[in-house]
Amino acid sequence: MAQITLSNLAHTYTPEGGQQSDFALKEMNHIWHDGGAYALLGPSGCGKTTLLNIISGLIKPSHGRVFFGENDVTDIPAEKRNIAQVFQFPVVYDTMTVRENLAFPLKNRGGSKVEVQARVAQVAKMIGLDGILDIKARGLGADIKQKISLGRGMVRESVNAILFDEPLTVIDPHMKWELRTQLKSLHREFGHTMIYVTHDQTEALTFAENVVMLYEGEVVQIGSPEALFESPQHTFVGHFIGSPGMNLMAAKVQGNHALVGGHAIPLQGSYGNLSGYTQIGIRPEYIEFCGAEGLPCRIDRVEDIGHRRIVRTEAAGVAIDVVMPAGAPIDPTMTYLHFPAEKISVYKDHWRIEHGWA
Amino acid sequence: MSLKVQNNKAWFLVLPVLVLVMFSAVIPLMTVVNYAFNDTFGNNQFFWNGLGWFEEMVQSERLHAALGRQVLFTGIILLVEVPLGIFVALNMPKKGFWASLCLVLMSLPLLIPFNVVGTIWQIFCRVDIGLLGRAAAALGIDYNYTSDAFDAWVTLIIMDVWHWTSLVALLCYAGLQSIPQAYYHAARIDQSTRWNTFRYIELPKISGVLLIAILLRFIDSFMIYTEPFVVTGGGPGNATTFLSIDLVKMAIGQFDLGPAAAFSLMYFLVILLVSWVFYTVMVTRDAEQDR
Amino acid sequence: MSLELQGVSRTVNGQVTIRPTDLRFEQGTINVLLGPTASGKTSLMRLMAGLDRPTTGRILASDTDVTGQPVQKRNVAMVYQEFINYPGKTVYENIASPLRLGSKSRADIDSAVRSTAETLGLTPFLQRRPLELSGGQQQRCALARALVKEAGLILLDEPLANLDYKLREELRVEIPKIFAKSGSIFIYATTEPEEALLLGGQTVTLHEGAVSQFGQTSAVYRHPLNIHSAEVFSDPPMNFIAGNKVGGVLALGDGQAVALGNHSVSLPDGEYSVGFRAHAVSVDPWAADSVRFDCTLTGVEVTGSETFLYVRQQNHQWVGRLQGIRRPAIGERLEVWINIKNMYLFNAAGQLAAAGSDLV
């Protein structure tokens, strides 16, 4: 196991690409800790799979270096990097039994028969495959096949990292919970470095301690789920994290208040006079309805999704979502929106600005 | 409302084909059946001969010899073309200009008419004027397909391999193209050897098309006529007289229509039987995979 | 048009894929087929469309029997999980293609295509080809093709499954609005409870080829008639505990007893399976209606706005969904409170015996 260091890493698929826009990944410097659980989160085409393939060694980066611990592995191919990978669609060797599948990576590395069998039995027990070891892999369900590919990774004792490329895509919602908790307990127990690529925020936030948010080839924020939720550094993070995402509205920021459609909204501190494109953002979870003060609004629709209610409103010409607990009453006196000042984020040209105290 | 047939109009579109097949296949086949069970001295006079011709043919040493040559030929063809085809498919470029070029070049032999292939090789291998024949002679190799049985066989096999390996290769290539990249990635990470990757990923995934390729090559080579007829005419002696060549000799050369007809019916049934076996294997295989 | 299935079943190679099913959908309704993979969603849709023929039973469209009619003759449109468009045609021509088969005038087709494109936000892309568009736009194009046909029946088979989470969220909000404007019957298959709730309308829950419940979506969610319906409509999965009713008392797990209200005292004594959803779990002592359980915490997941707690209660594994951020230590003993009003009692046959507020 090892710490992963990305040093001045960037990648372009066009060989002579000097243009910034040609880069699938823009230059980044990061150190990912040994034994950490990381999620690479972003929409399709944001570069998350490219980054994963660079770490696994399937792609050689056009710029920069990758280190596992002290070792520069940039030029080392995937098969020599001692990593494991679980793919979007289950990859199993159809004609082999579950046991043979699990034993395959060890056999290829020349393990003795006794050692291999002992290790396979141990791993099978860990991931709950011990009952079906002698069944052919071909006819099994998607969730079990995914467990087999995970098992094939874990069977090698010294793997540097386990990489997951949207591993729950083809799994039913119920099985997702089971597989994810199993992954987490394996992580707790064995402490492998795990890197998990997904477009699904729930998967990323629940799986990882550190979420790496990618947008157009750039890491826009790395942080804990709380940090991404509470203080998104970029409007895209605000929009992408949370369901529904952060409400963003163009605003004129003057000192300690923001003007939205002529209404003054108090802010927690002073921002001076911001130039450029300024926006304020607030999570739907933190907005409160009230009868008199704040931003006048009109309720368009109320959606009940079981554990919570989403109220779709319009205020100052912008659509604003409000989230309320399940069963919360909706009544006609709810004509104003109140934004608690400490929950408002201010953005200048899409990047978050911290306030001063004036 | 009928529950059996969804759209009857479709049958009208099939009718012309059915009529054509009647004339081109069924009626001639019936004529053959007629000859197989009767004896004739011309003038459309037929005498019932029962299974007489069949008995004669089953016991005929000449036919046994031709069948032996045929089985040997088909066996060698399959043993050479199938592995070679897979090997070529594995080593073809996957995409880009070179892939297209390979595909075009490989399809070329398949587009040439059989008798032209025969003529090309017949001239190509002639010792007096053929490029290959002359070259072999110049190198001091004692090669002459018109007089040496072994040379005749080698010539025919190389010709068939040249003509048909592309078919196997192209089918396998199509099968290989449909394997997702993730399988190769996983195999690399598992440190699978090249042979194991082939054995456990590629072979299982192309086994379906491979069966079809083998079936096609079996049928074609088992019925081979034009090319050996043009190149060797079945010679030297009877060395390359395969079943269909023998059949034609019997029917046209000697006008033994009865035995020839009985012979062709059995020939037909053998091919039908083998095809049926292949078909059953393929269907059960598919059913197993769908499970 | 209305669509009715009467005793429809289907058997393939001796295996029953759809058990005898009776359903009736009225014009202008949105209907969700909710069930896990291989529960019969697609099979049922194929029967409705006329792509497959039922082994038994009849299918009625506007009260006329269409059982034997092939799909071409029925007034049906379908959208699949994969983004299926004509790659060689422009978006405009793709949308227009179902209309070209009819006898509509060019001007009529043009206006129909443009207005449908407008509702789906495709106007800027009309002259592009589908493969030049993003996944979300490609699926919008497929949706537009289905809508423009003004088919009486529109079938959607997990249309958002191949899209990014965020795009899915966006379309989930838009789709019910678009559907509401049309007069067709919509049948929408999904595996996700949240999608069903957002679409509203009616829901059919499926389990192993049989309908477990059919009704208003919110009613099915709040009042699942059986254990299958409850399980498929819970994400995270429903939590269970064994209950034993003796007289007016329901004993839960290791002895937490609930005094039953008047409505449920009359239930037969015996064993019940008691289910509750993740959001019924609390770590703060609630109102008087809550029952306390001593659990062991086995996992915590924080999403920023919510916390998922995984706890073990005797031999049961539960998931709790809590608002806000909490980080109790794993392995710790934890008091968990469950509101009785959120519980469902299922009898040995898996049928709902009593729900929520009836219990107290």
Side-chain angles (χ1 to χ4, degrees):
Chain A
M1 278 173 261
Q3 161 180 301
I4 296 172
T5 309
L6 310 177
S7 161
N8 301 320
L9 187 77
H11 188 69
T12 169
Y13 287 101
T14 44
E16 302 297 320
Q19 293 277 323
Q20 191 70 2
S21 59
D22 287 338
F23 278 78
L25 278 181
K26 297 183 182 133
E27 188 171 309
M28 55 182 75
N29 285 289
H30 296 293
I31 293 175
W32 293 349
H33 300 293
D34 183 15
Y38 291 84
L40 308 185
L41 176 65
S44 39
C46 71
K48 56 189 194 292
T49 304
T50 305
L51 182 52
L52 191 78
N53 286 340
I54 286 174
I55 294 168
S56 70
L58 296 170
I59 294 179
K60 189 171 177 281
S62 58
H63 300 74
R65 316 298 298 171
V66 180
F67 295 88
F68 284 2
E70 300 294 310
N71 306 323
D72 185 340
V73 295
T74 319
D75 300 315
I76 295 178
E79 55 270 33
K80 300 270 166 63
R81 287 198 185 181
N82 212 3
I83 41 106
Q85 187 160 356
V86 178
F87 298 87
Q88 189 171 6
F89 297 97
V91 175
V92 298
Y93 303 105
D94 277 343
T95 52
M96 296 187 195
T97 61
V98 176
R99 186 192 301 279
E100 287 163 343
N101 259 285
L102 295 181
F104 192 61
L106 292 182
K107 269 203 203 145
N108 291 333
R109 287 166 173 80
S112 82
K113 208 163 183 182
V114 182
E115 269 169 27
V116 171
Q117 286 310 327
R119 181 67 186 160
V120 166
Q122 191 188 351
V123 169
K125 207 167 157 94
M126 261 155 47
I127 52 178
L129 290 174
D130 39 351
I132 52 164
L133 276 175
D134 293 307
I135 291 177
K136 276 251 189 297
R138 174 180 288 161
L140 297 169
D143 50 314
I144 300 189
K145 284 188 177 176
Q146 266 326 33
K147 281 191 187 181
I148 297 175
S149 18
L150 173 64
R152 275 211 322 273
M154 300 205 47
V155 81
R156 284 179 277 135
E157 266 164 290
S158 57
V159 282
N160 282 318
I162 305 182
L163 314 181
F164 300 89
D165 190 0
E166 309 199 2
L168 301 182
T169 308
V170 293
I171 311 292
D172 266 355
H174 279 76
M175 294 311 298
K176 278 185 187 173
W177 289 87
E178 197 193 310
L179 280 180
R180 218 173 56 212
T181 39
Q182 208 173 16
L183 267 186
K184 292 202 71 149
S185 63
L186 288 174
H187 180 247
R188 259 202 320 277
E189 226 173 302
F190 299 97
H192 290 116
T193 307
M194 290 191 175
I195 300 173
Y196 189 112
V197 161
T198 180
H199 61 82
D200 185 324
Q201 48 158 311
T202 315
E203 279 177 32
L205 297 172
T206 50
F207 173 81
E209 296 140 6
N210 297 286
V211 179
V212 180
M213 192 65 229
L214 282 139
Y215 176 56
E216 293 180 347
E218 195 174 355
V219 174
V220 283
Q221 189 170 359
I222 298 186
S224 65
E226 284 114 304
L228 291 180
F229 188 81
E230 294 291 342
S231 41
Q233 293 303 311
H234 190 276
T235 50
F236 181 77
V237 181
H239 158 78
F240 201 82
I241 302 281
S243 181
M246 183 178 251
N247 294 299
L248 291 162
M249 53 216 105
K252 205 167 172 194
V253 176
Q254 289 174 335
N256 58 2
H257 63 270
L259 283 173
V260 176
H263 298 271
I265 296 170
L267 302 171
Q268 203 184 11
S270 175
Y271 291 83
N273 276 336
L274 290 183
S275 58
Y277 180 56
T278 49
Q279 286 167 288
I280 59 165
I282 182 159
R283 293 274 174 205
E285 286 83 352
Y286 297 136
I287 301 180
E288 290 154 13
F289 281 105
C290 55
E293 231 166 288
L295 203 57
C297 74
R298 188 188 74 222
I299 295 181
D300 285 340
R301 233 147 54 89
V302 180
E303 287 158 12
D304 193 332
I305 53 167
H307 65 287
R308 60 203 328 208
R309 285 185 143 173
I310 302 173
V311 186
R312 312 272 181 193
T313 71
E314 202 201 286
V318 203
I320 293 178
D321 300 328
V322 183
V323 166
M324 300 177 79
I330 309 287
D331 63 61
T333 64
M334 293 158 54
T335 47
Y336 286 87
L337 297 175
H338 170 64
F339 300 169
E342 71 278 11
K343 298 296 186 188
I344 298 176
S345 300
V346 175
Y347 296 93
K348 176 178 178 294
D349 299 325
H350 296 287
W351 291 94
R352 186 184 160 95
I353 303 287
E354 294 301 331
H355 59 77
W357 301 97
Chain B
M1 182 166 294
S2 152
L3 278 174
K4 291 243 163 59
V5 177
Q6 285 215 356
N7 194 340
N8 290 308
K9 261 186 256 170
W11 288 104
F12 288 104
L13 301 174
V14 179
L15 262 181
V17 176
L18 281 178
V19 172
L20 270 173
V21 169
M22 279 292 286
F23 278 101
S24 68
V26 179
I27 293 174
L29 183 68
M30 285 303 120
T31 320
V32 173
V33 171
N34 194 25
Y35 276 116
F37 290 97
N38 289 296
D39 199 355
T40 179
F41 303 105
N43 301 335
N44 259 345
Q45 279 182 305
F46 288 97
F47 306 93
W48 180 250
N49 190 25
L51 293 175
W53 296 133
F54 288 92
E55 280 164 21
E56 192 184 319
M57 281 299 104
V58 167
Q59 284 158 10
S60 151
E61 299 224 336
R62 171 182 168 185
L63 190 131
H64 290 171
L67 182 66
R69 285 190 287 271
Q70 185 67 70
V71 170
L72 183 65
F73 181 75
T74 298
I76 294 176
I77 289 299
L78 290 179
L79 279 178
V80 175
E81 287 180 11
V82 171
L84 185 64
I86 296 174
F87 182 78
V88 171
L90 287 173
N91 290 295
M92 273 169 73
K94 294 281 177 282
K95 54 186 168 203
F97 169 76
W98 293 106
S100 317
L101 186 73
C102 276
L103 288 175
V104 171
L105 286 179
M106 305 230 348
S107 350
L108 276 179
L110 301 175
L111 298 174
I112 303 174
F114 295 38
N115 56 340
V116 177
V117 171
T119 313
I120 292 173
W121 282 81
Q122 204 255 349
I123 298 172
F124 185 50
C125 295
R126 272 173 66 167
V127 186
D128 49 353
I129 55 168
L131 193 60
L132 188 69
R134 284 287 291 268
L139 289 171
I141 299 168
D142 180 19
Y143 168 84
N144 189 342
Y145 69 86
T146 54
S147 60
D148 186 300
F150 182 76
D151 291 352
W153 270 77
V154 169
T155 310
L156 289 183
I157 286 166
I158 293 178
M159 175 181 66
D160 200 85
V161 167
W162 175 82
H163 194 180
W164 289 113
T165 304
S166 308
L167 179 76
V168 182
L170 289 177
L171 282 170
C172 290
Y173 183 70
L176 287 172
Q177 289 288 60
S178 69
I179 301 176
Q181 274 302 311
Y183 279 84
Y184 291 107
H185 290 174
R188 280 179 66 185
I189 289 167
D190 288 342
Q191 285 196 3
S192 166
T193 57
R194 183 70 192 86
W195 165 250
N196 273 344
T197 306
F198 171 70
R199 166 76 183 74
Y200 295 110
I201 295 174
E202 291 169 329
L203 192 59
K205 297 268 174 202
I206 63 167
S207 58
V209 278
L210 196 59
L211 269 177
I212 293 173
I214 294 174
L215 176 64
L216 288 177
R217 283 315 301 133
F218 167 79
I219 296 178
D220 263 355
S221 66
F222 207 71
M223 300 192 310
I224 192 164
Y225 175 75
T226 317
E227 296 127 297
F229 179 76
V230 173
V231 179
T232 64
N238 272 336
T240 56
T241 304
F242 301 124
L243 283 177
S244 56
I245 295 181
D246 202 20
L247 184 63
V248 173
K249 276 187 186 167
M250 200 187 295
I252 316 281
Q254 301 156 225
F255 274 99
D256 284 336
L257 292 182
F263 178 11
S264 7
L265 281 186
M266 291 191 290
Y267 194 2
F268 175 61
L269 288 178
V270 167
I271 289 178
L272 209 60
L273 181 77
V274 174
S275 305
W276 176 79
V277 168
F278 265 96
Y279 175 77
T280 318
V281 170
M282 275 194 278
V283 167
T284 48
R285 223 186 120 267
D286 285 350
E288 205 176 287
Q289 278 189 344
D290 285 346
R291 194 172 46 84
Chain C
M1 129 171 191
S2 67
L3 181 78
E4 190 168 357
L5 310 187
Q6 293 182 342
V8 166
S9 78
R10 183 165 160 83
T11 308
V12 183
N13 298 331
Q15 282 202 314
V16 183
T17 53
I18 296 293
R19 291 170 201 285
T21 298
D22 295 286
L23 288 170
R24 187 182 166 90
F25 306 114
E26 298 298 338
Q27 179 167 5
T29 53
I30 299 175
N31 306 279
V32 181
L33 300 183
L34 183 63
T37 311
S39 60
K41 300 188 298 294
T42 305
S43 308
L44 204 54
M45 284 192 154
R46 291 182 60 89
L47 289 170
M48 291 176 188
L51 288 165
D52 288 330
R53 183 183 301 276
T55 312
T56 65
R58 302 196 304 160
I59 295 173
L60 308 175
S62 307
D63 298 315
T64 42
D65 192 331
V66 294
T67 315
Q69 249 181 44
V71 66
Q72 302 92 311
K73 292 205 178 151
R74 298 200 196 174
N75 193 8
V76 179
M78 207 153 174
V79 178
Y80 301 85
Q81 184 177 336
E82 297 79 22
F83 315 138
I84 297 176
N85 294 299
Y86 298 106
K89 290 184 179 178
T90 60
V91 170
Y92 183 96
E93 276 307 314
N94 262 287
I95 303 176
S97 60
L99 302 176
R100 299 269 189 234
L101 299 170
S103 53
K104 282 200 166 185
S105 74
R106 289 181 73 97
D108 281 352
I109 293 178
D110 188 68
S111 71
V113 169
R114 288 187 190 281
S115 75
T116 313
E118 189 62 42
T119 21
L120 283 159
L122 286 170
T123 309
F125 312 111
L126 281 174
Q127 293 315 316
R128 298 231 208 134
R129 286 177 208 285
L131 294 180
E132 297 163 15
L133 303 179
S134 73
Q137 290 157 348
Q138 288 183 41
Q139 195 62 321
R140 280 167 196 268
C141 179
L143 272 169
R145 245 182 34 240
L147 285 172
V148 80
K149 208 174 156 187
E150 294 186 328
L153 176 64
I154 300 183
L155 301 161
L156 304 107
D157 194 354
E158 301 192 40
L160 306 185
N162 282 5
L163 292 175
D164 269 13
Y165 186 88
K166 215 58 197 179
L167 279 170
R168 216 182 287 172
E169 197 179 276
E170 215 170 89
L171 272 166
R172 269 178 189 167
V173 176
E174 259 178 73
I175 281 178
K177 292 187 204 161
I178 297 164
F179 287 0
K181 286 185 202 154
S182 152
S184 312
I185 301 176
F186 287 91
I187 313 275
Y188 187 110
T190 180
T191 57
E192 301 199 14
E194 195 171 320
E195 206 154 284
L197 286 165
L198 278 174
L199 287 168
Q202 304 177 96
T203 292
V204 180
T205 49
L206 287 167
H207 177 74
E208 293 179 356
V211 171
S212 17
Q213 191 172 352
F214 176 40
Q216 289 296 320
T217 301
S218 57
V220 176
Y221 177 79
R222 279 178 222 297
H223 209 83
L225 289 181
N226 49 57
I227 215 160
H228 297 315
S229 194
E231 279 183 319
V232 75
F233 222 142
S234 303
D235 183 39
M238 186 167 263
N239 303 307
F240 287 100
I241 186 161
N244 189 13
K245 180 192 173 284
V246 181
V249 178
L250 175 69
L252 294 171
D254 55 357
Q256 304 291 328
V258 179
L260 292 173
N262 292 335
H263 291 288
S264 43
V265 167
S266 56
L267 286 175
D269 284 1
E271 299 284 333
Y272 289 89
S273 195
V274 180
F276 53 91
R277 292 198 172 93
H279 66 265
V281 174
S282 168
V283 289
D284 314 311
W286 262 22
D289 296 335
S290 290
V291 189
R292 196 193 77 211
F293 292 93
D294 287 324
C295 303
T296 315
L297 188 69
T298 58
V300 181
E301 291 176 344
V302 173
T303 68
S305 59
E306 290 176 319
T307 305
F308 293 107
L309 294 181
Y310 295 82
V311 297
R312 201 167 48 241
Q313 216 290 316
Q314 293 180 304
N315 53 347
H316 299 281
Q317 184 71 45
W318 292 349
V319 188
R321 176 179 216 152
L322 276 56
Q323 298 302 311
I325 295 167
R326 289 154 207 270
R327 288 200 182 273
I330 291 169
E332 197 176 276
R333 267 200 50 226
L334 194 69
E335 282 182 3
V336 162
W337 299 80
I338 316 291
N339 191 330
I340 303 163
K341 286 187 173 167
N342 287 322
M343 289 184 181
Y344 301 94
L345 249 68
F346 300 101
N347 62 23
Q351 300 298 312
L352 184 73
S357 46
D358 288 348
L359 289 173
V360 279

